[in-house]
Amino acid sequence: MSQAHIDSAIKKEYSAGFISAIESDTLPPGLDENVIRFISARKNEPQWLLDWRLEAYRGWLEMSEPTWAHVHYPPIDLQAISYYSSPKSIEDGPKSLEEVDPELLATYEKLGIPLHEQEMLAGVAVDAVFDSVSVATTFRAKLAEAGVIFCPISEAVREYPELVRKHLGTVVPRKDNYYAALNSAVFSDGSFVYIPRGVRCPMELSTYFRINEAKTGQFERTLIVADEGSHVSYLEGCTAPMRDENQLHAAVVELVALDGAQIKYSTVQNWYPGDAEGKGGIYNFVTKRGMAHRDAKISWTQVETGSAITWKYPSCILRGDNSVGEFYSVALTNNYQQADTGTKMIHLGKNTRSTIISKGISAGHSSNAYRGLVRMNPKADGARNYTQCDSLLIGDRCAAHTFPYIESRNPSAVIEHEATTSKVSDDQLYLCQQRGLDAEKAVSMIVNGFCKEVFKELPMEFAVEAGKLLEVSLEGSVG
Amino acid sequence: MFEFMQQSLDSAAQRAPAWLQDWLRDGRDRWEASTMPTRKTENWKYTSVQALREHFAPAAAGARLLRESDIDLPQLVGSRQVFINGHHSARLSDSELPDGVSLVRFGEASTAQAAHIRQYLGSAAGEAGTLFTALNDASLAEGVFVEIAAGHRVAQPLHLVWLTTNQGEAFSVNQRLLVLCGSDSSCAVVEQFAGVRDANKAFTNGVSELLLARGATLEHYRLHQEEGSDLHVGGVYARLAEQSTFNSFHLGLGSELKRIDVVVEHCGQGAHSEVNGVYLPRGSEHIDYHTCIEHRVPDCTSSETFRGIIADEARAVFNGRIHIHRDAQKTRAELSNKNLLTSTRAEVNTKPELEIYADDVQCAHGATVAQLNENALHYLRTRGVSRTEAQSMLSFGFINEVIDTVRNAALRDYLRAMLARRFARDPALTRPTA
Amino acid sequence: MLKIDNLHASVEGQDILNGLSLSVKPGEVHAIMGPNGSGKSTLGHVLAGRPGYTVTAGTVEFLGQDLLALDTEERARLGLFLAFQYPVEIPGVSNMEFMKAAVDAMRTQRGEEPLDAVSFMKLARETSKAVDLDPGFLKRGVNEGFSGGEKKRNELMQMMLLQPRLAIMDETDSGLDIDALQVVARGVNAMRSAQRSFVLVTHYQRLLNYIEPDHVHVLAGGRIARSGDKSLALELEAKGYAWLENEVA
């Protein structure tokens, strides 16, 4: 394929890039204790949560930005970011979808996120986070019937203070890392889910995140608690508008799977990756972690195609005996995107099992790194891990890296790690082309095949979307 | 920086020949400008250098072996040079060298030889080295320069032995080897490090630079048999010109602290390297191999296999990096690291890394931490072999697969017998202990 | 020699043997035939003491001893040999080293001195030639990279070196060409004696053209569905297993 062909196709526009003109109630840039007090007051938070935030903030002041990831970016001026932004029309609180700003709804329509529950994504409850404040939640009634709580975390703090207080920060401690501490101090909103004992959540729960305001960092906090023997599947989709500046996103997701519970958390991340010259795009610095108690199972599936920089390691602490952790990931980088992503599997309990399947695809001038940790603690008798990391390179100006940390302190634990790196083979391409496919279609097909093991873990609607996303993200990268 | 080194460095500066003085000063500047690694230093994440916080004196000259039978050396047909506590022992060394091989000790270099050495010294370890390479530079009083003349195929191996003996107090030894393999030459170099008895409290900082010219073949062995309180922090730095072949084997028996950096740079097209090794720490020993295979140019191949058995409360670290530079197309690189833990208190940390900037490459790595294969164990038992013996055979087989790659038959037999004795003597290496 | 009474066994919680009884006298050759999944291979593994094969009921007496109470290697030393259908590859452990350890263990059991290395090597070389295996195989890792036929001949060589009292040949004929089959048959026939018994587990009658059995048993549903002389094998060959299964049902 010619260079011209590549170049023209690389100039594909970000299809989710548009800006909504909604009036916002935005705090001026800057961060100090007063900002935190303001956020807390605006949300009518109880004193304990304000104290909790302040404690995190004070811890954060002592910390420095992590530099170990294989990503490069100019220093972020955290004082230039506004820490609170809520769409103005929500001030009086919409009572139903009819009261939601029509432009906001239109925004979701453009993104293909249907808020009208009867439409398109039947069976999916959406708690949409527009910038920082949840504006609408659907299916509440049906979920309530099953005893499932699914609401903005700010509401949960008021309605279910004991539950929130009991679990918040137990999986990702306030001062876990630089960005988690920052999030703990300033988190704006996010989702809260509680599945009662023995309940199988009647539908897939879904949140779409979107960063809208210029220079507003987004700091969601999500907490999912699956009580003993319960099941839940949670979908997270992310998109952000197109801007020249980089926007920071530092979310925290905490999963608690009590004895015998199962949580499946799926993400399709399609935030603005910056333009073809690497200008703009989201800095996605996220901490996601789950705690699996006895016989519990936590499964992370992610398809990461967006963001200028991705820094995230959805992890499992396999605390209870026989607990299971899974991580299925597709990370695609193109143009000047950088990703440093992977997982940590911390085996504490006996006979704990973990599986890691990671597929990295690098194109253009991008850099894509898998970074993972598998740790077998002395008490993890009979624990098992299997890791497969494959990287695919498309073009000779991109990079693919694998950094697996394997730590074992138990002689009966078994760890197997394998990694390969290759490019789309000329033979594969030749075969597809000989059968009449153009090169781009052929590559997209081959890449989809490469990712199949991960896609099959996604809920149906997401799997289709993920496949399309890859195709769009790869356009023009063929060389 | 550590106080203890000052005395050692002063002493080295006094002993070093005039033509090395500026070299030492430069090394000392770099050493003093560095900071000691901590757990937060990525390359030292799993290895603490606390054990170095001893008061190390410079090694005394003229140390004698108690008995010659104290040393267990392979009887290789070839030329042997022995150093005791860093000082050359004429008594234990051969005076003859194979045809085509020249050997110069730094302290005895003529002006012309010194200039020749300076032309190559540091060309492999300079940029790739660690702060301990700077320390080595700063302490460079005795070094060995070996040159294989172009076109010479040297059949007999050159055997270099560094022994440490008990001097009553802690002491340090800086060893340096510079090997220049002329174009289309071939030879084998065996580096062997051993303590004559335990508790020598010797800290050896051994740096080897191996330079392979076009079409050269080097078989290289680095055997670390120091045990007990002997410490070793050192490295092997190889640079491969086009069409050269580098075969390297490492043996790491444990001791209180051992850290070996291996850097192989493929600098010319068509170069090939094979780096294999085994490590067997036990007791409360610590061993750390950091390997880095650099592919700077297209059309090179590399393969690496390291295996370890970690017993008792021992700890092993393996870091195997494959780095493929931009435009190093058509590279094929593979790495395998397998580990067996035989105790609930043993620990292994392994990190195979791929860092790739070219697309038309085939790279793979694998790492495992596992137990002995249950099916194999059963199969042996159905033939009447006891469980214990079967475990011993399988553990040894696990290591033996790597020993099989040793090309020199005499050395292979020596290693096999030596390790078999060790396995027979120490059941902790072969089966789970509480 | 061997007396199996009402043997029940399971693998991974699944019952495979359901009340199998069989008696083998010294010098006899028994053939056990049966369709896939009838429990043929399980029988061999249960007798050899493979981990994961659980005996849930029944008794097995071998040379007057309670076989099931013994460890795998104790059974072997008593003279029980299992030729594996899928011999295990053990890289790094040489065939020679392996067989020396096994032969020494046998000899020690019988109160004999271990063979010195030279005598053993001579014996091993001769034996490998007897099974048409290049002596070079002795130096290689156990079964490492051997072809299917080479693995089977290696099993046969081990049997000849260990001189068992009872040899169970688990589908040793499967996957063999006619030449290799004859090598196996020749080896077994040469070892037949009044003191030694064989149990040949096989799917096909073909092997029995070369090794004539005294008794033929058909296994179905984890127990012996029918026993007879060698004509039973021919009958099976002609009618297939379905005939028998229908009859049993």
Side-chain angles (χ1 to χ4, degrees):
Chain A
M1 269 132 284
S2 72
Q3 189 63 35
H5 177 101
I6 299 167
D7 292 345
S8 78
I10 278 177
K11 289 190 193 107
K12 152 202 91 76
E13 302 268 320
Y14 178 66
S15 61
F18 48 84
I19 299 168
S20 309
I22 301 170
E23 275 184 276
S24 284
D25 171 14
T26 301
L27 206 62
L31 179 59
D32 56 25
E33 292 202 1
N34 286 332
V35 167
I36 292 164
R37 288 176 204 281
F38 172 86
I39 296 169
S40 190
R42 279 306 280 272
K43 295 171 162 298
N44 296 317
E45 284 178 359
Q47 185 64 36
W48 69 264
L49 189 52
L50 173 61
D51 293 343
W52 194 87
R53 286 173 178 274
L54 290 171
E55 181 62 27
Y57 175 70
R58 288 165 197 152
W60 175 76
L61 286 176
E62 307 291 314
M63 302 166 89
S64 50
E65 209 178 322
T67 53
W68 43 260
H70 200 284
V71 293
H72 305 281
Y73 53 92
I76 303 171
D77 183 1
L78 291 171
Q79 293 301 338
I81 291 173
S82 164
Y83 289 87
Y84 188 80
S85 156
S86 86
K88 245 187 184 153
S89 60
I90 201 179
E91 284 301 80
D92 306 320
K95 304 293 180 292
S96 68
L97 284 178
E98 284 69 37
E99 290 181 35
V100 172
D101 187 327
E103 189 162 351
L104 185 56
L105 290 177
T107 300
Y108 285 126
E109 297 291 347
K110 273 195 239 176
L111 276 173
I113 306 165
L115 233 75
H116 298 288
E117 52 199 64
Q118 298 85 0
E119 289 178 20
M120 283 166 74
L121 285 180
V124 178
V126 177
D127 174 19
V129 174
F130 194 89
D131 285 357
S132 309
V133 177
S134 294
V135 289
T137 303
T138 54
F139 285 107
R140 296 277 289 267
K142 191 169 176 196
L143 290 171
E145 218 170 280
V148 172
I149 302 168
F150 180 36
C151 66
I153 199 162
S154 53
E155 186 183 320
V157 167
R158 295 190 298 270
E159 305 290 323
Y160 316 99
E162 302 79 20
L163 268 178
V164 175
R165 198 171 179 179
K166 183 175 172 192
H167 295 287
L168 187 72
T170 57
V171 185
V172 179
R174 269 178 297 188
K175 298 173 197 170
D176 185 79
N177 66 67
Y178 185 78
Y179 295 110
L182 178 63
N183 174 288
S184 301
V186 304
F187 73 88
S188 36
D189 214 330
S191 302
F192 175 78
V193 175
Y194 174 78
I195 316 291
R197 185 172 304 193
V199 169
R200 187 177 280 270
C201 188
M203 64 192 75
E204 311 254 9
L205 303 181
S206 172
T207 303
Y208 268 76
F209 288 122
R210 218 171 119 61
I211 300 178
N212 206 46
E213 284 293 306
K215 290 192 178 134
T216 56
Q218 189 153 4
F219 303 93
E220 306 93 330
R221 183 130 198 148
T222 295
L223 174 60
I224 299 178
V225 180
D227 213 327
E228 291 174 21
S230 66
H231 287 236
V232 62
S233 171
Y234 190 91
L235 320 178
E236 173 196 56
C238 328
T239 47
M242 206 162 99
R243 284 186 200 288
D244 285 350
E245 314 93 308
N246 296 99
Q247 283 176 284
L248 175 65
H249 177 254
V252 170
V253 175
E254 291 182 280
L255 309 183
V256 179
L258 296 173
D259 291 0
Q262 295 194 8
I263 302 178
K264 185 174 174 62
Y265 194 104
S266 312
T267 304
V268 172
Q269 188 262 109
N270 179 31
W271 270 331
Y272 181 50
D275 66 16
E277 270 71 52
K279 206 167 159 206
I282 300 292
Y283 289 173
N284 189 26
F285 299 156
V286 176
T287 305
K288 291 181 167 178
R289 195 176 301 151
M291 176 80 77
H293 291 264
R294 182 179 288 269
D295 302 319
K297 177 175 173 183
I298 290 178
S299 182
W300 297 101
T301 305
Q302 62 173 27
V303 176
E304 304 277 328
T305 60
S307 295
I309 299 178
T310 299
W311 179 98
K312 65 177 277 203
Y313 315 92
S315 302
C316 298
I317 300 173
L318 303 174
R319 183 157 117 185
D321 293 350
N322 313 314
S323 56
V324 175
E326 294 174 341
F327 175 74
Y328 298 97
S329 170
V330 166
L332 183 147
T333 54
N334 197 355
N335 297 322
Y336 286 87
Q337 281 178 279
Q338 304 175 61
D340 193 295
T341 184
T343 183
K344 294 179 189 177
M345 292 292 174
I346 311 292
H347 292 251
L348 302 177
K350 291 183 179 45
N351 299 316
T352 45
R353 299 269 186 281
S354 65
T355 304
I356 299 172
I357 306 288
S358 164
K359 305 283 180 178
I361 301 128
S362 326
H365 290 78
S366 71
S367 167
N368 198 331
Y370 166 82
R371 186 182 302 276
L373 168 67
V374 174
R375 178 182 291 155
M376 299 296 184
N377 274 46
K379 293 197 173 137
D381 292 342
R384 296 280 183 279
N385 162 265
Y386 175 74
T387 301
Q388 175 75 49
C389 294
D390 296 317
S391 303
L392 197 64
L393 294 136
I394 302 173
D396 63 1
R397 285 293 169 267
C398 57
H401 312 307
T402 314
F403 305 112
Y405 293 71
I406 300 164
E407 305 177 356
S408 181
R409 295 168 68 193
N410 188 304
S412 66
V414 174
I415 306 173
E416 282 178 82
H417 168 96
E418 287 170 30
T420 64
T421 303
S422 54
K423 66 167 196 166
V424 173
S425 87
D426 294 339
D427 289 347
Q428 290 171 324
L429 267 183
Y430 173 61
L431 173 70
C432 294
Q433 287 174 296
Q434 205 286 320
R435 297 293 180 266
L437 296 172
D438 65 48
E440 205 153 87
K441 183 71 195 162
V443 166
S444 142
M445 242 176 77
I446 292 164
V447 169
N448 258 292
F450 177 74
C451 300
K452 205 169 173 183
E453 271 173 283
V454 174
F455 286 170
K456 73 177 171 43
E457 296 298 323
L458 285 170
M460 184 67 92
E461 316 87 83
F462 261 35
V464 174
E465 189 181 335
K468 279 190 196 144
L469 252 182
L470 278 195
E471 201 164 318
V472 171
S473 303
L474 268 174
E475 268 172 28
S477 57
V478 178
Chain B
M1 258 322 135
F2 297 163
E3 284 304 309
F4 76 87
M5 283 302 165
Q6 301 306 328
Q7 197 197 344
S8 223
L9 295 177
D10 292 343
S11 151
Q14 281 165 24
R15 283 203 294 141
W19 60 271
L20 271 174
Q21 291 297 333
D22 63 319
W23 184 271
L24 266 73
R25 265 193 306 279
D26 177 65
R28 192 159 178 169
D29 288 346
R30 280 183 287 122
W31 163 249
E32 284 170 356
S34 2
T35 45
M36 278 321 251
T38 66
R39 287 292 158 92
K40 294 203 164 165
T41 314
E42 179 64 23
N43 277 330
W44 296 83
K45 188 177 164 72
Y46 300 110
T47 294
S48 158
V49 291
Q50 277 296 330
L52 290 180
R53 296 192 177 274
E54 276 259 14
H55 180 81
F56 289 101
R64 289 278 173 272
L65 285 174
L66 298 176
R67 288 188 307 275
E68 202 154 330
S69 60
D70 284 342
I71 46 174
D72 169 29
L73 298 176
Q75 295 307 309
L76 302 176
V77 183
S79 178
R80 187 170 83 184
Q81 299 296 319
V82 178
F83 296 78
I84 299 175
N85 296 351
H87 300 277
H88 186 251
S89 165
R91 185 169 64 94
L92 293 170
S93 302
D94 294 326
S95 50
E96 297 288 307
L97 286 167
D99 197 28
V101 177
S102 62
L103 185 149
V104 179
R105 298 211 312 280
F106 288 10
E108 298 183 334
S110 67
T111 311
Q113 286 169 330
H116 190 52
I117 293 171
R118 282 297 293 265
Q119 197 185 332
Y120 296 102
L121 190 63
S123 56
E127 276 175 35
T130 66
L131 78 160
F132 289 98
T133 320
L135 177 63
N136 187 281
D137 288 335
S139 329
L140 198 55
E142 181 71 293
V144 175
F145 174 68
V146 173
E147 184 166 3
I148 320 298
H152 268 81
R153 308 245 145 214
V154 182
Q156 312 302 359
L158 184 64
H159 185 191
L160 301 161
V161 185
W162 277 272
L163 295 173
T164 47
T165 65
N166 197 324
Q167 283 197 186
E169 60 178 347
F171 65 97
S172 64
V173 173
N174 262 274
Q175 169 267 347
R176 185 79 168 228
L177 173 66
L178 175 61
V179 178
L180 188 58
C181 301
S183 52
D184 298 314
S185 68
S186 82
C187 72
V189 173
V190 181
E191 295 187 79
Q192 189 174 22
F193 297 85
V196 172
R197 35 166 62 182
D198 284 357
N200 291 330
K201 291 203 218 162
F203 163 44
T204 304
N205 180 350
V207 172
S208 299
E209 294 187 86
L210 312 171
L211 307 173
L212 282 71
R214 185 192 172 89
T217 299
L218 175 63
E219 233 176 78
H220 169 250
Y221 303 92
R222 194 167 166 111
L223 314 177
H224 284 281
Q225 291 161 273
E226 307 116 316
E227 299 196 60
S229 62
D230 274 351
L231 314 175
H232 195 123
V233 178
V236 174
Y237 302 88
R239 273 178 86 86
L240 279 57
E242 62 267 58
Q243 303 299 333
S244 62
T245 304
F246 178 58
N247 292 306
S248 189
F249 174 84
H250 294 261
L251 169 70
L253 302 185
S255 65
E256 195 176 332
L257 168 65
K258 219 164 260 170
R259 159 65 181 249
I260 313 298
D261 283 79
V262 179
V263 180
V264 178
E265 306 207 39
H266 296 77
C267 304
Q269 279 179 248
H272 170 70
S273 73
E274 191 176 322
V275 180
N276 298 327
V278 299
Y279 45 89
L280 302 163
R282 55 185 180 173
S284 55
E285 297 167 345
H286 183 103
I287 190 159
D288 177 350
Y289 274 101
H290 261 63
T291 70
C292 179
I293 309 297
E294 298 277 357
H295 283 274
R296 297 187 178 277
V297 294
D299 301 316
C300 293
T301 51
S302 67
S303 115
E304 181 175 352
T305 302
F306 268 79
R307 290 194 179 183
I309 300 180
I310 303 100
D312 306 320
E313 293 158 49
R315 197 167 182 198
V317 181
F318 177 80
N319 195 107
R321 180 167 179 248
I322 294 173
H323 181 188
I324 302 190
H325 294 248
R326 176 150 293 170
D327 298 327
Q329 300 292 14
K330 307 281 180 199
T331 295
R332 294 174 78 111
E334 53 183 42
L335 176 153
S336 158
N337 172 236
K338 294 186 177 181
N339 299 278
L340 282 179
L341 294 184
T342 64
S343 148
T344 53
R345 285 157 298 148
E347 179 175 344
V348 64
N349 298 296
T350 171
K351 180 155 139 273
E353 294 180 57
L354 290 170
E355 213 174 321
I356 294 170
Y357 297 91
D359 63 333
D360 191 6
V361 299
Q362 279 182 47
C363 296
H365 72 213
T368 62
V369 184
Q371 296 169 277
L372 295 177
N373 183 321
E374 276 298 325
N375 283 336
L377 209 54
H378 171 68
Y379 186 63
L380 295 184
R381 293 176 71 199
T382 62
R383 300 300 180 250
V385 179
S386 72
R387 186 175 180 87
T388 319
E389 196 181 354
Q391 283 169 331
S392 173
M393 286 173 78
L394 290 178
S395 301
F396 187 72
F398 177 73
I399 292 304
N400 196 28
E401 270 189 273
V402 187
I403 304 293
D404 275 341
T405 66
V406 168
R407 284 153 203 258
N408 183 295
L411 193 62
R412 191 169 61 232
D413 291 347
Y414 162 78
L415 289 170
R416 213 173 256 152
M418 188 261 292
L419 292 175
R421 281 199 303 279
R422 196 179 178 82
F423 274 73
R425 202 170 58 223
D426 194 347
L429 286 169
T430 62
R431 57 175 170 275
T433 52
Chain C
M1 175 76 69
L2 180 73
K3 193 168 179 352
I4 303 172
D5 189 31
N6 191 33
L7 187 64
H8 291 252
S10 65
V11 182
E12 285 171 4
Q14 262 206 309
D15 295 330
I16 310 285
L17 299 184
N18 299 300
L20 186 146
S21 297
L22 176 70
S23 185
V24 179
K25 293 194 178 67
E28 287 182 346
V29 173
H30 289 243
I32 295 189
M33 304 183 68
N36 291 329
S38 60
K40 297 193 303 287
S41 288
T42 301
L43 176 62
H45 287 309
V46 167
L47 295 179
R50 184 174 184 147
Y53 287 67
T54 315
V55 172
T56 48
T59 58
V60 180
E61 195 186 293
F62 178 55
L63 295 171
Q65 293 210 37
D66 175 6
L67 187 76
L68 301 177
L70 302 175
D71 280 345
T72 297
E73 59 266 35
E74 289 169 334
R75 300 179 192 193
R77 289 175 194 172
L78 206 56
L80 182 102
F81 181 91
L82 172 68
F84 282 52
Q85 185 183 2
Y86 304 108
V88 182
E89 295 195 19
I90 313 178
V93 175
S94 81
N95 231 349
M96 182 75 99
E97 179 193 357
F98 168 42
M99 283 328 297
K100 172 106 170 63
V103 168
D104 284 352
M106 273 335 153
R107 293 180 67 94
T108 308
Q109 171 86 4
R110 294 197 293 260
E112 299 165 7
E113 287 290 305
L115 278 181
D116 64 82
V118 177
S119 315
F120 178 76
M121 212 176 292
K122 190 161 169 275
L123 177 65
R125 284 225 178 88
E126 282 165 7
T127 315
S128 71
K129 280 181 199 146
V131 298
D132 270 3
L133 203 58
D134 186 286
F137 281 90
L138 291 166
K139 288 192 176 170
R140 288 173 50 178
V142 177
N143 293 320
E144 187 186 0
F146 290 21
S147 71
E150 286 159 356
K151 283 181 180 168
K152 295 293 170 73
R153 275 178 280 169
N154 199 26
E155 293 291 286
L156 192 66
M157 179 179 80
Q158 293 174 25
M159 180 173 80
M160 293 168 93
L161 281 168
L162 295 175
Q163 296 284 319
R165 297 294 304 278
L166 171 69
I168 304 158
M169 318 286 287
D170 186 6
E171 306 212 19
T172 302
D173 53 330
S174 67
L176 290 189
D177 62 30
I178 198 75
D179 293 335
L181 191 68
Q182 284 179 354
V183 170
V184 169
R186 208 162 57 224
V188 170
N189 287 328
M191 285 188 73
R192 283 179 80 156
S193 82
Q195 299 307 316
R196 183 173 292 128
S197 314
F198 289 86
V199 173
L200 310 174
V201 175
T202 179
H203 192 81
Y204 303 104
Q205 192 271 339
R206 190 176 66 151
L207 177 69
L208 308 180
N209 290 335
Y210 301 95
I211 308 171
E212 195 172 305
D214 300 307
H215 302 276
V216 174
H217 312 276
V218 182
L219 213 57
R223 66 167 74 98
I224 289 179
R226 184 184 273 231
S227 297
D229 58 16
K230 60 181 178 180
S231 63
L232 177 59
L234 294 167
E235 195 176 350
L236 274 174
E237 185 83 348
K239 297 185 179 174
Y241 288 115
W243 149 71
L244 196 91
E245 276 168 346
N246 293 337
E247 195 166 272
V248 169

